[in-house]
Every structure is written in structure tokens, then in C-alpha cells.
Amino acid sequence: MADVLPLVEARLRSALGEPDARAAVTFLGTDRIEVLRFQEGDVVRYATLGMSAQPMSDPTAVLADPVKGPRAELILSVRSGLADTDKALRPLAVLGASPQVEGVVVAPGASLDVGEPLWPGAPFTSVLVAEPGGLVEDLELDEPLDPVRFLPLLPMTPNEAAWKRVHGAQALQERWLTNGTDLRDPSRKSVPLE
């Protein structure tokens, strides 16, 4: 069976251009997770590479299926030059390793929390996983493998994360849209939640 990571990297390059930096993090007992940085105008995008090497498996399953199961990579987009967002590489690698480490299945609508600011001074410690397909198309793989989905991450303030737990991901996204929230602003304030 072909290694999926070269195919994933090729898809990222075709959609986002050539990465201008990359970093790798290896956690004990996990495969290496790389984070690639792509600069496009005033937006910088960080994409994980390595999360899709293994399918995510149901945490209640007795044995993880080595072939079947959802595969994904994560993409964070922020305005460049406004904060030290390159320090988000390690938190992103932690999130990318979470399916292997914690046995979670990362899917749209989920909240992922790193327990610390995403970068120094960031008002965000967690992200909302958004629907794939807008920025980078799914990568179809040979049967029986599931496609690799490229999941956008939307930074959430602690108040937004708490509100989302009560009202749901869709309600939070509608609140952002209604208020014209710039989700790429690395220092934005919480959306009004009253």
C-alpha cells in the first residue's frame, strides 16, 4: 500500500504553493508530525503533515483498524506580521498527534484544546474544527482507504469555547458570521455572546 504522506504533501503544494518553512515534532510512541508554513500575501497558513499516515479509529474499538477509518490533516490560517504565530507549530503538532495519543477522531464541529495559548499572547487556547473542502480539496486514496480531508481550524477564545459547548458549533459560526468576525486576526477579541 502506498505511503499517503507524499500524496498529501503534493496536494498541499498544489493548493497552497511551496512551503517556506517546515518543522517536525515527534512525541513518545507516535509517528512524526510535521507542520508546513505557506505564505500567501498577508495570510500565513500552517498545515500538519503526518496525521493522515494512519486512519483515526474509534476510541471504543478493541483494535484499531490499520486501513479503514477517517484520515485528516489540519490547516490554520492567520494574518501574518501581527503576532508571533510561528510559535503555533508545536501546539498544531500536538493537535495533529492527538488521534494517535488520545485515540480521538477529529471531525468537523469538534473542539480541540491545547491548554495554553496557541502562540505567545494569543487570546486562544482552543480551535473549532471547520468543514473541509474550501481551501484544499479532499485527497481520494485507493480503495479501501478513506480520503484525506483537510480540516480548517478556527481559533476560539475560552468564552467562545464555553459558549460553543452549550449552543453548538453551528450557532457559534453563525454568531461569528453575523458579527463580521475576522477569524484570521491573531489578536481578535471574543465575539459578543449575550
Side-chain angles (χ1 to χ4, degrees):
M1 200 162 303
D3 182 9
V4 302
L5 294 184
L7 302 173
V8 170
E9 184 168 353
R11 174 59 54 94
L12 286 168
R13 286 172 184 264
S14 70
L16 304 176
E18 286 300 309
D20 65 354
R22 64 192 312 144
V25 180
T26 305
F27 302 98
L28 189 64
T30 67
D31 295 330
R32 181 170 110 149
I33 302 288
E34 287 188 89
V35 179
L36 309 181
R37 184 180 72 188
F38 301 87
Q39 185 78 43
E40 181 186 328
D42 70 339
V43 174
V44 62
R45 301 184 199 286
Y46 302 95
T48 61
L49 178 63
M51 183 176 163
S52 62
Q54 305 292 328
M56 294 180 275
S57 58
D58 181 346
T60 62
V62 178
L63 287 174
D65 189 320
V67 177
K68 293 288 290 169
R71 294 174 189 259
E73 296 291 353
L74 307 173
I75 300 176
L76 173 68
S77 300
V78 291
R79 298 214 181 284
S80 60
L82 303 175
D84 190 7
T85 57
D86 281 353
K87 296 284 197 285
L89 298 178
R90 184 167 177 76
L92 281 174
V94 167
L95 296 177
S98 62
Q100 289 181 58
V101 174
E102 299 171 21
V104 296
V105 175
V106 177
S111 299
L112 303 176
D113 196 316
V114 294
E116 62 185 37
L118 289 173
W119 52 83
F124 319 106
T125 59
S126 62
V127 293
L128 174 65
V129 181
E131 290 291 333
L135 190 60
V136 181
E137 287 184 34
D138 292 354
L139 173 63
E140 297 295 330
L141 300 173
D142 293 336
E143 290 289 333
L145 303 181
D146 288 24
V148 176
R149 302 171 86 200
F150 298 89
L151 303 172
L153 300 180
L154 308 175
M156 292 189 294
T157 66
N159 285 346
E160 290 169 340
W163 197 86
K164 181 251 173 197
R165 279 192 292 277
V166 174
H167 300 280
Q170 185 65 37
L172 178 59
Q173 289 178 305
E174 287 170 11
R175 181 69 53 126
W176 282 334
L177 194 59
T178 300
N179 285 275
T181 306
D182 180 2
L183 296 174
R184 293 179 180 165
D185 180 350
S187 56
R188 73 172 178 83
K189 305 285 184 243
S190 184
V191 70
L193 299 169
E194 302 81 38

